[in-house]
Amino acid sequence: MTAEITRMTDAAVVGGVIADTFRMDAISTWLIPPVEDRPPIQHAFFSMYAAHALDHGDVYGIHEAGELAGVAVWFTAPYPEIPGHDEAVAGFAGEHAGRFGILGEQMEKLHPHEPHGYLAFIALVQGRMGRGLGSQLLREHHRRLDAEGMPAYLEASSEASRRLYLRHGYVDMPELLRLPDGPVMYPMWRAPNP
């Protein structure tokens, strides 16, 4: 079955896929400990970033048999901050907003300043993993970055995703992103491959 990659235009749909995919991962569990609180907060958070990427990056969807199977949200860095970001997070995250702030500070501290493609999120619909769809989404944008001679950066949220990115030419950055009393993330860099 052939998968088709398209540009996405509906930030809420993209946010929903990402929120569902990451609902039980270690970073989400640290950010929002009560599992029942996670879906609405995550949907609002990821939709906000997807909407910003529609203006300052690229948002892709991969489809199988006409059904959305995954998404990728890229920014062209440096990019402007989301207007009203902290107020929006405080509004939808409530008592959990402080942890979003800590995560944001840690990410900002390690984020490179030179121009690059920044993979903010890549997520596959449940039941679609292990079929090469994530690799197809990566290759789609890597081709463009390589043609422009532009490097890429991301923070892998698990060892499993880190291994995927290593296979696609990413290397570990010198410092891990360590959340207080929480999991680590793996900042990674990919040089362009013309």
Side-chain angles (χ1 to χ4, degrees):
M1 185 179 303
T2 306
E4 178 190 12
I5 295 176
T6 62
R7 295 294 181 114
M8 298 292 289
T9 57
D10 189 332
V13 169
V14 174
V17 170
I18 303 168
D20 189 54
T21 299
F22 291 122
R23 188 171 61 88
M24 299 303 289
D25 84 334
I27 306 300
S28 297
T29 302
W30 181 85
L31 281 170
I32 313 161
V35 66
E36 64 276 7
D37 291 353
R38 270 182 229 145
I41 295 172
Q42 287 184 300
H43 189 266
F45 180 77
F46 294 129
S47 297
M48 177 175 72
Y49 272 86
H52 199 54
L54 290 173
D55 293 329
H56 302 286
D58 297 280
V59 183
Y60 300 98
I62 190 164
H63 305 263
E64 281 188 314
E67 293 182 354
L68 183 61
V71 296
V73 176
W74 287 88
F75 286 95
T76 302
Y79 56 94
E81 291 184 13
I82 296 173
H85 177 278
D86 294 347
E87 296 79 7
V89 172
F92 60 69
E95 66 183 292
H96 309 294
R99 288 190 176 221
F100 280 88
I102 291 167
L103 175 61
E105 288 168 12
Q106 295 296 323
M107 291 173 78
E108 182 61 33
K109 190 166 58 172
L110 298 176
H111 202 118
H113 295 290
E114 65 189 270
H116 60 274
Y118 172 49
L119 178 60
F121 310 107
I122 187 169
L124 297 177
V125 171
Q126 298 297 329
R128 306 278 185 155
M129 289 139 193
R131 294 159 58 169
L133 299 174
S135 289
Q136 286 182 57
L137 279 168
L138 287 171
R139 283 192 297 268
E140 178 74 18
H141 200 66
H142 287 165
R143 275 193 289 274
R144 183 171 146 200
L145 294 175
D146 290 344
E148 296 172 2
M150 175 111 31
Y153 174 76
L154 56 81
E155 301 99 356
S157 61
S158 69
E159 270 289 348
S161 62
R162 178 181 166 268
R163 287 191 296 272
L164 168 69
Y165 301 131
L166 287 170
R167 291 195 302 269
H168 284 271
Y170 288 83
V171 296
D172 291 317
M173 298 286 278
E175 190 176 346
L176 293 175
L177 191 160
R178 298 181 184 278
L179 293 169
D181 299 316
V184 299
M185 296 178 79
Y186 306 88
M188 303 182 78
W189 185 259
R190 179 186 182 270
N193 183 22

